[in-house]
Amino acid sequence: MRQRSLVILTSVLTTGALTLTACGSRDDSGDKSSSSKTEIIIGVDAPLTGQNSATGLGIQGGVQIAVDDANKNNTVPGVTFKVQALDDKAIPASGQQNATALVNNDKVLGVVGPLNSGVATQMQQVFATANLVEISPSNTAPELTQGKNWQTSKSRPFKTYFRTATTDALQGGFAAEYASTTLKKKNVFVVDDKQTYGAGLAKLFKAGFTKNGGKVAGEDHVNTGDTDFSALVTKIKNSKADLVYYGGQYDESEKLTKQLKDGGVKIPLFGGDGMFSDTYIQTAGKTSEGDLATSVGQPVDSLPSAADFIKKYKASGLKGDYGTYGGYSYDAATAIIKAIANVVKDGKVPDGARAKIVDEVQKTKFEGIAGPVSFDEFGDTTNKQLTVYQVVAGKWKAVKSGTFNG
């Protein structure tokens, strides 16, 4: 994991083969009395190496800038914030270990992450037991906030869990509507990676697409880490599909689209926010041209409210793709920091601070850099904005923004 200059290491924890590195923040305020302040840690859990790491590093970077800003502005008097970023490698078991490590550190009063919905399922109970607030900038599986039976009877499983990203219940339908009404596609081949996020998103897209009169030309599954999709390419080619919908991450889809086009299947590949990354285009190259992806919110580069954030991110030397979830990570960290400000006075952390911070987060309401930030009774964001992007001339271009109500 890359560090910036003048970064203070807060700790390095090793549990078995898993190494947990705690990344500190700079104190840009020039306050020489900062050493006498109370240190509070904002935890981050994301894939910082391996699968999905470009996006995970963007989450870490968004939190780091929020913490830097809080320290510089003395947002919470008597407090110096640090970041402890742990690498889950997109593996649920690693996420659970990380959650335990964060809970056991009394200085941690809030956590941003994880990236993957499948990882979140193994972390939620750990945080809930400890009354430690968790805000994901990217989890989109509906059951995380609304329960396993969310389609018929919504019930919030964990009051400590929140998210600044809207759910697949909206994203899948939004993509299906665009495929049917704007692209005028009639036959889709649906592929997913069998993970919580990917399989759930593909299922919801399929339901929306068929509801709009489209047909499913075929379905198949891949495994995370797969690199050879030749058999799948043959199936898609023989199906006569005019669109491929992929539920999963960019690591596999960037290879699938290249092999599709190289195999003579000249149809677009459409995916969700897990595919929306500059890394997808860089790896797939020209074969990604015309491909599409939905993502939460509006393009962060187009928001005046995010201009300062983007400037700082680019100047900092931070790695990763800030454009996918960087803004939502900044806003998630800011929500935690604002909640802490209402609980911790003059650097004094009261008894039961974690539970009190959860209650304060629930009441959150402010204008974030990526849009308005507040949460409903399930812990879901009230910001339902979504965007469809298409690869045009080697770059993601927003082609439709709006909301979807089903």
Side-chain angles (χ1 to χ4, degrees), residues 325-387:
Y325 303 117
Y328 279 115
S329 301
Y330 182 99
D331 287 345
T334 300
I336 292 172
I337 290 167
K338 285 179 176 290
I340 290 172
N342 291 332
V343 173
V344 178
K345 303 298 182 181
D346 299 321
K348 296 177 182 178
V349 181
D351 292 339
R354 285 179 169 176
K356 293 175 182 176
I357 291 165
V358 172
D359 292 339
E360 291 298 324
V361 168
Q362 183 66 63
K363 295 183 285 186
T364 291
K365 187 173 184 180
F366 65 95
E367 285 298 320
I369 66 167
V373 180
S374 61
F375 304 103
D376 65 16
E377 68 269 32
F378 300 103
D380 282 325
T381 178
T382 57
N383 181 4
K384 309 299 184 183
Q385 192 78 19
L386 290 157
T387 301

Side-chain angles (χ1 to χ4, degrees), residues 196-260:
T196 301
Y197 162 74
L201 183 58
K203 181 180 179 180
L204 289 162
F205 174 88
K206 175 185 170 184
F209 190 75
T210 53
K211 181 181 178 181
N212 292 338
K215 296 181 179 179
V216 177
E219 297 181 71
D220 208 345
H221 313 278
V222 300
N223 297 304
T224 56
D226 283 355
T227 58
D228 183 358
F229 301 104
S230 55
L232 177 57
V233 168
T234 299
K235 288 182 182 179
I236 295 171
K237 188 173 185 177
N238 292 338
S239 75
K240 307 299 182 184
D242 54 12
L243 176 73
V244 175
Y245 187 82
Y246 183 79
Q249 306 290 339
Y250 61 82
D251 301 86
E252 290 75 37
S253 59
E254 64 194 16
K255 300 177 182 66
L256 173 58
T257 197
K258 190 174 190 309
Q259 292 176 38
L260 273 172

Side-chain angles (χ1 to χ4, degrees), residues 302-313:
S302 71
L303 299 173
S305 55
D308 184 59
F309 164 78
I310 295 170
K311 181 180 178 181
K312 289 175 180 175
Y313 201 107

Side-chain angles (χ1 to χ4, degrees), residues 269-336:
L269 190 149
F270 199 166
D273 53 324
M275 199 174 99
F276 178 59
S277 169
D278 289 340
T279 304
Y280 176 85
I281 300 174
Q282 292 164 6
T283 301
K286 292 182 179 179
T287 58
S288 66
E289 194 72 13
D291 288 350
L292 304 109
T294 50
S295 192
V296 296
Q298 293 177 278
V300 70
D301 288 304
S302 71
L303 299 173
S305 55
D308 184 59
F309 164 78
I310 295 170
K311 181 180 178 181
K312 289 175 180 175
Y313 201 107
K314 291 180 176 179
S316 69
L318 287 163
K319 304 301 180 183
D321 294 335
Y322 71 82
T324 311
Y325 303 117
Y328 279 115
S329 301
Y330 182 99
D331 287 345
T334 300
I336 292 172

Side-chain angles (χ1 to χ4, degrees), residues 93-308:
S94 295
Q96 188 177 54
Q97 286 180 295
N98 292 350
T100 300
L102 291 166
V103 162
N104 289 338
N105 186 340
D106 291 339
K107 293 183 178 181
V108 177
L109 295 187
V111 178
V112 177
L115 166 66
N116 306 89
S117 293
V119 175
T121 62
Q122 302 303 306
M123 302 181 75
Q124 289 177 304
Q125 183 65 67
V126 179
F127 290 131
T129 301
N131 288 318
L132 182 59
V133 70
E134 169 192 16
I135 306 180
S136 173
S138 54
N139 293 165
T140 54
E143 58 265 32
L144 294 174
T145 49
Q146 300 171 22
K148 292 182 179 179
N149 300 318
W150 63 272
Q151 290 176 302
T152 56
S153 178
K154 295 179 181 180
S155 177
R156 186 176 185 178
F158 303 102
K159 66 173 292 187
T160 53
Y161 178 87
F162 301 82
R163 53 178 157 201
T164 50
T166 195
T167 75
D168 291 334
L170 300 180
Q171 186 176 189
F174 189 67
E177 183 181 73
Y178 188 83
S180 300
T181 61
T182 303
L183 299 180
K184 307 295 184 183
K185 299 299 183 181
K186 304 295 183 183
N187 295 286
V188 64
F189 196 103
V190 180
V191 183
D192 70 69
D193 63 1
K194 298 186 281 190
Q195 301 300 304
T196 301
Y197 162 74
L201 183 58
K203 181 180 179 180
L204 289 162
F205 174 88
K206 175 185 170 184
F209 190 75
T210 53
K211 181 181 178 181
N212 292 338
K215 296 181 179 179
V216 177
E219 297 181 71
D220 208 345
H221 313 278
V222 300
N223 297 304
T224 56
D226 283 355
T227 58
D228 183 358
F229 301 104
S230 55
L232 177 57
V233 168
T234 299
K235 288 182 182 179
I236 295 171
K237 188 173 185 177
N238 292 338
S239 75
K240 307 299 182 184
D242 54 12
L243 176 73
V244 175
Y245 187 82
Y246 183 79
Q249 306 290 339
Y250 61 82
D251 301 86
E252 290 75 37
S253 59
E254 64 194 16
K255 300 177 182 66
L256 173 58
T257 197
K258 190 174 190 309
Q259 292 176 38
L260 273 172
K261 311 300 173 46
D262 290 346
V265 187
K266 308 296 185 181
I267 59 176
L269 190 149
F270 199 166
D273 53 324
M275 199 174 99
F276 178 59
S277 169
D278 289 340
T279 304
Y280 176 85
I281 300 174
Q282 292 164 6
T283 301
K286 292 182 179 179
T287 58
S288 66
E289 194 72 13
D291 288 350
L292 304 109
T294 50
S295 192
V296 296
Q298 293 177 278
V300 70
D301 288 304
S302 71
L303 299 173
S305 55
D308 184 59

